[in-house]
Every structure is written in C-alpha cells, then in structure tokens.
Amino acid sequence: MTMNNDYWDTARGKQRLADASLLLTKIGAHHGNAVPSDLQVRTFAEELVDDYTLADAFEAIRQFYMANDKSKWMGSAHVNSGMRTLRRKRIPEEAGIETLIERAGIDEQHMLVYRRDLIDGIKHGYTVEQAHARAVSHANNLVIEAPPAKPRKPRQYHFAGRLDRMNLNDVIGETS
C-alpha cells in the first residue's frame, strides 16, 4: 500500500499510527522503557504488513522476547515475520481441512476453491472459524461460466489459398 501524506490524516492512517505506537511502546518496555519518536512510529507503521492484527503483533513480540537472550531490538520485519509464523501454525492439518470440508458439505468441484480461501483467510489474520465461513461462502457462490463467444469474421482466403479450386488457365489465362 502506498502511503502518502494524506493517508495519515484518514481514520485508518491514524489508527495505524496509534497501533504502531502501542507496539513500539511494548518493544521499548524490554529496553528500559525507551520512548519511540514520531519518526520511529511512522516508519514502523509504514513497514507493518497491511493485514496485521494487534493480537498477532503482540503475540509475535511476546514470542520474540521470550527467545531473545541477547537484548536484540525487535523491528517491524521481526513483527511481520512473527505474525506470518503464527498464522501458518493456525492452518489446520490436511485431515482437519478434510473434516471441515465434509462438515460444510463442499463437493469435489468446489473443494479446491474452499481450501485455497481457507488457507488464504488464515494467512491474512482471520481465525479458523472466520476463514471457514468465508471459504464456504465463496465456494458455494462459485459459478464457472464459459466466456461469451466472440463473433468470427468469415474467412477470406488470399488468392494463393484458392489455387486448389482453380486450374492454371484460370490463373494466367488462355495461352495460345
């Protein structure tokens, strides 16, 4: 997402800055309550993935500092990576997906769409239940239609293409 200066004046931009400030304050608490500057907050907000959730970001921070024994600072890349890891762990095993498919009554023709939407939804921060509901809705509404036929022009053969129907006299005329 491109974030120009006008973006930060919108409700979504202000919320993103507020969230980034909260996340940086949490990170700063691990380093002597360091207070982030406005530039740090804005930079952090710009670098967060678009589909972040505060719950996932806070959990990524918690897990990072639980395993951090070198007093390393956590950056936005670490938060993004931590959220991706958390979301991947939420994806059910294949048997769990099969159970969800059977419970929802998804047929074989719609199974692939359901599976793709379920996994995509979880990767974008939805809970398994929310992603399941979205995927069922998308799979049930799927209608595959052939594109409309394009009108075809009648074939116009070049002179050379009609040679099989002509004899040499038709082409060069009568010779004496």
Side-chain angles (χ1 to χ4, degrees):
M1 171 191 296
T2 306
M3 297 174 196
N4 58 22
N5 288 329
D6 295 336
Y7 172 79
W8 302 109
D9 293 330
T10 65
R12 187 171 177 191
K14 289 177 183 177
Q15 183 62 51
R16 193 176 182 97
L17 286 172
D19 292 348
S21 182
L22 279 171
L23 295 170
L24 279 172
T25 300
K26 176 77 170 179
I27 291 168
H30 293 278
H31 301 280
N33 290 324
V35 179
S37 70
D38 290 342
L39 178 60
Q40 287 173 315
V41 171
R42 184 161 173 173
T43 302
F44 195 86
E46 288 172 346
E47 294 169 352
L48 276 175
V49 291
D50 290 335
D51 59 354
Y52 77 94
T53 62
L54 274 179
D56 285 348
F58 278 128
E59 182 60 21
I61 292 169
R62 188 183 73 76
Q63 289 185 11
F64 178 86
Y65 283 106
M66 280 177 47
N68 182 9
D69 59 350
K70 296 183 176 123
S71 298
K72 265 182 21 178
W73 277 79
M74 183 177 203
S76 56
H78 297 111
V79 174
N80 293 336
S81 175
M83 287 190 294
R84 277 191 300 274
T85 300
L86 289 169
R87 292 171 181 178
R88 267 194 305 266
K89 288 179 183 176
R90 285 190 205 127
I91 297 173
E93 297 290 326
E94 192 59 36
I97 293 175
E98 293 296 328
T99 303
L100 290 170
I101 288 172
E102 289 173 15
R103 195 177 330 145
I106 305 289
D107 62 8
E108 287 184 23
Q109 292 177 340
H110 298 91
M111 204 178 300
L112 183 61
V113 172
Y114 170 84
R115 179 178 276 114
R116 184 188 63 225
D117 283 351
L118 176 76
I119 292 170
D120 190 54
I122 293 169
K123 285 181 177 179
H124 285 89
Y126 292 103
T127 65
V128 174
E129 294 78 21
Q130 292 168 330
H132 170 69
R134 266 181 86 236
V136 167
S137 171
H138 288 161
N140 289 336
N141 292 332
L142 177 69
V143 178
I144 299 175
E145 295 178 4
K150 296 178 182 176
R152 293 186 176 214
K153 294 180 184 177
R155 289 189 177 191
Q156 295 180 358
Y157 294 98
H158 188 273
F159 170 77
R162 291 183 282 161
L163 286 179
D164 60 334
R165 288 181 267 154
M166 303 174 110
N167 63 37
L168 188 57
N169 288 337
D170 293 336
V171 175
I172 59 172
E174 283 294 320
T175 59
S176 14

